[in-house]
Amino acid sequence: MPFRIKPTTPISWLSRSLATAIGGALILNSTSAYTAPALEEVLVTAQKRSQSTQDIPVAVTGLGGDTLEKLGFDNATDIGAQVPNMQVSGAYGEVQPIFSIRGVSMSDYSSNQASPIGVYVDESYLGPTYSHGSSFFDIERLEVLRGPQGTLYGKNTTGGAINIITRTPGFEEKGRQYLKVGGGNFGATSVEGAVESELISNVLSARISGSMKKNDGWMEIEGKESNGAEADFRGARLALNWRINERWGAVLKLTSSTNDGSSTPPKSEARTDLRGTGLEGDSNGFIDYVGYFRPDHLDFHQVESDASGKLVTHVDLTVLSVNYSADNYTLTSVTSHLGADYYQAQDTDGGPKGLLEILWSSESKSYSQDLRFTSNFDGMFNFIGGLYYGYEELSMNNTYLIFKDLPDPRVVVAKPDTISDAPFLIDVGQVVQRLATEKESVAAYSQMRFDLTATFGIDIGLRYTRDSNALTYLNLSRYTDDGEPVGSWVPGNSTGIDNAWFRAPLSPTALSDLLANPSALSAFTNGGFTHGAFTQNSAPELEVVENEWTGKIGLDYRFNDDWMVYASVSRGYRAGSYNGGVYYVERPVETAYAAPEYIDATEVGVKADLLDNSLRLNMAVFSYDYTDQQFINVVGISNFLENAGASSIQGAEAELWARLTERLTIQATAGYLDTEYSELNLANTQTIGEPSDRVDLSGNELISAPKLNLSFSIDYDVLITEYGYLSVNANASFQDDQWFSAYNDQYGYGEIRQDAYWLYNGRLAWYANDGSYQISVWGKNLLNEEYHVYALNLQASFGYDEYIAAEPRSFGLEVSVSF
């Protein structure tokens, strides 16, 4: 696919700047006699072998454990600030981060969906999003690969991959042993530490690490003793390193973690307009469907809530890596088992009345096996080849409590279209959704490397994947508010109407539809509800098998030892998925299942180490053809997992590191995105009484794809003594305007967005010269920027928009002792 850039777009300017920077880099590198301290080399295993980030022709950011600590990273949501064109939001708490890379994001909140950003811990793939933040302690290295990874990874990695590498015990030298304690505002306390030892000299070593973090929550619930967004995390890891003999080695890592915190209650902004009706009463002119409006006296991080509750996750991860090292090749086996469960009680209406409350519950068990051959030949040719198998069982049991309070009669005056729903909202009760899936993935992959000359190389990668995805159980039933069974939609709804109730008598058009569909008459025997007799039986099992080829072709050329250019074309694939939302009639596989999504990517980049390795500059421009993007679309109290026909993403990014003096290091990143849905037709949520009303949204921007993002970081040793040194880190990041919905500003979605914002963080630390201890004070979001990380339009059936606020300013003190 050709790389398409309009001459007048900002990306064109960035690409010209890339060429200018390359020329300038050549001049600086060839003429300057300046000598400065060298930057540290960053080794990564992004391509399944240990390599410097500057030697591999891919866009990857590597962050070592010391760098993560200096930047104050203590959870996965901090990652995005240092990676261009990346965002991480903690809408569901820091244990469930939502990643977006280069405009490829996950908009579906259903727990059965896999992220398009593959997350791996010690090479083990983590499917459930609620497991992604569970292992973020005692980290050796973090790697972020940008762009589709369709060869060596391949599992749902249309957007990129995140590798979390935890520390492994050594032999000749012990790894870092430490105890770190801290405290901060919102009652925050934390303890993290690790010890290791050889159990059998030069044969078996062990490392034990753990982390505990707790705070009182930062979202104040008016009138309640406890806040929302509490954290109570506990995690532990045992790592064993067995040197079997000179050829064989094995590493076993057992990680268990639990978070027993509380949900982040969303804020409600009423959108049912009473102005001009004469019925405003004491409202501010707007109400939701039970008459609530958010009072003006509430601060940004305050809510009124009657049902915000627990957020609990538990994750057990076992990873066994076995290596055989021959003279010119390595055999590797990575075996993993993951068990994870999740529960959240969310007051989704963001108010003190019973409009919409959801109890989320999910459980997952998975197993994976990766067998790999990695060559280390002396000649021009090397390759990696392997076989992968993965299996996952996942179940969901969600309860939606709807209209526990009666609807406000003023709504039908303000919105006459809602009159057909009014009789049913008095007695909806609960909708209980039970779903179970089984996924099996089998793949064969190979990446071949041809070093045709000392300066020119070619990579050719190819992966064949067979994914089997079965919906083994599905039941959606209606219960009273007291939990008594009433009836079932799936299975049981024989009307053919994909809605909880039947609107026909109030519309001449709908009445004619009723006469044409006599089976819909059964709805009247259920008081207008479309369900049938109660049952816990399942809808018929559905199964889809997908067979896909993905891969990559890349070229790279080194002008000298200090810098290279590369170009690649690649294809990424994300397996299809079943709709994890609520619907009310049995669906065939064509509408119950979202097809796989694909990205065809073209990328050109440069990597340079200049001025005697004191200056590092990495840049790339890229273009994506994105087809069948999966995302959730909420229409009334129904959910539709849909595919966008096509979209395009073009962008540029740059990373700069400079060690200006022994005492001063700076880092900067910049990213630019130009995104557009080229084919997208969705339901008009303003006319939900007419299901056939579709709107054309082509030309809109993609979700969570800000045009510009920037970051800056400065490390300066302000005081150096014979005992230690005082160092300050100041960093800032910028995210441009972005949309949270594919509708952008159309059809009532104009407020489902986030304006541009800056975040400022800092850390002042004293380090002992012998590395024995350090003391630091830190602050995040120092200017207390108020912004949202998620928003959802629920106007059609509930009359409000939902927003989830980001964390406010936090600060604290930390003491770390190494031994």
Side-chain angles (χ1 to χ4, degrees), residues 319-343:
V319 183
L320 173 63
S321 301
V322 179
N323 284 280
Y324 174 79
S325 300
D327 292 336
N328 56 5
Y329 67 88
T330 301
L331 297 176
T332 302
S333 168
V334 180
T335 308
S336 69
H337 180 269
L338 173 69
D341 56 73
Y342 162 77
Y343 172 82

Side-chain angles (χ1 to χ4, degrees), residues 138-192:
D138 199 32
I139 300 297
E140 177 185 315
R141 187 175 68 258
L142 181 72
E143 304 168 2
V144 179
L145 290 82
R146 301 185 294 281
Q149 307 295 319
T151 303
L152 299 177
Y153 297 88
K155 182 62 179 174
N156 293 316
T157 50
T158 45
I162 298 170
N163 291 333
I164 300 171
I165 312 299
T166 65
R167 288 189 172 101
T168 300
F171 291 100
E172 288 77 13
E173 293 185 12
K174 289 184 179 180
R176 185 189 173 207
Q177 301 184 102
Y178 66 97
L179 177 65
K180 180 169 58 178
V181 297
N185 60 335
F186 304 115
T189 57
S190 64
V191 179
E192 182 179 319

Side-chain angles (χ1 to χ4, degrees), residues 77 84 94 106 163 282 351 400 474 507 534 545 557 597 609 623 626 709 748 757 763:
T77 60
E94 65 181 49
M106 181 179 178
N163 291 333
D282 60 351
Y400 303 77
L474 178 64
S507 165
F534 177 79
V545 176
Y557 181 79
E597 66 179 29
D609 278 342
S623 178
Y626 199 174
N709 58 93
Y757 61 91
R763 189 179 189 91

Side-chain angles (χ1 to χ4, degrees), residues 693-763:
D693 187 6
R694 309 279 290 185
V695 293
D696 182 4
L697 300 176
S698 58
N700 284 3
E701 294 180 8
L702 269 63
I703 299 167
S704 299
K707 282 188 176 294
L708 183 64
N709 58 93
L710 305 168
S711 74
F712 303 93
S713 177
I714 299 175
D715 278 293
Y716 183 63
D717 298 337
V718 296
L719 176 65
I720 299 176
T721 74
E722 60 180 308
Y723 306 106
Y725 62 99
L726 184 66
S727 181
V728 62
N729 172 267
N731 61 84
S733 61
F734 170 81
Q735 296 286 350
D736 211 343
D737 301 341
Q738 60 183 296
W739 300 104
F740 293 128
S741 165
Y743 290 87
N744 286 190
D745 59 350
Q746 299 171 279
Y747 305 100
Y749 283 78
E751 299 301 322
I752 306 300
R753 66 191 302 271
Q754 173 56 51
D755 292 334
Y757 61 91
W758 280 93
L759 296 179
Y760 300 91
N761 310 311
R763 189 179 189 91

Side-chain angles (χ1 to χ4, degrees), residues 528-551:
F529 285 90
T530 60
H531 61 69
F534 177 79
T535 179
Q536 289 192 347
N537 292 334
S538 172
E541 181 175 328
L542 302 176
E543 184 173 11
V544 177
V545 176
E546 298 157 354
N547 299 280
E548 300 295 341
W549 290 93
T550 56

Side-chain angles (χ1 to χ4, degrees), residues 347-358:
D347 189 13
T348 312
D349 57 54
K353 296 186 176 183
L355 175 56
L356 177 61
E357 301 160 11
I358 305 178

